[in-house]
Amino acid sequence: MKSKFDSMVLGFLLGVISPIIGFFIYYFAEYSYMTMRGFVNYLVLGQVYTPLISLCVVANLPVFYIFLRMDKYYSARGIILSTFLYAGLVFYLKFLS
């Protein structure tokens, strides 16, 4: 029987949200002395936003492994799908823009 927590939509949403949470954790841990706007300007001017996005996607790993350990394979697939979405974003920002 498929549980309500074993859904690709849930995995995808968590896979999109967890790097955003990782971004805020990184901001508050390292750059809390700056305003959020100043921090984003620093990222854009220094062109370090693609490595930061790649670093924040690492936050998907614990969520992915939790779903695997709980045998929620559809949710784990959603995490993988969102990771590929972020990989496409990084590829676009790095090479095509």
Side-chain angles (χ1 to χ4, degrees), residues 51-64:
L52 182 61
I53 292 170
S54 301
L55 179 67
C56 290
V57 171
V58 173
N60 278 344
L61 272 172
V63 181
F64 175 73

Side-chain angles (χ1 to χ4, degrees), residues 5-25:
F5 295 111
D6 193 17
S7 161
M8 277 189 71
V9 174
L10 174 69
F12 181 76
L13 289 176
L14 285 175
V16 169
I17 292 171
S18 63
I20 295 170
I21 293 171
F23 172 80
F24 284 113
I25 289 172

Side-chain angles (χ1 to χ4, degrees), residues 19 22-23 26-27 39 43 48-57 90:
F23 172 80
Y26 180 74
Y27 165 70
F39 178 62
L43 293 176
V48 292
Y49 48 87
T50 53
L52 182 61
I53 292 170
S54 301
L55 179 67
C56 290
V57 171
V90 167

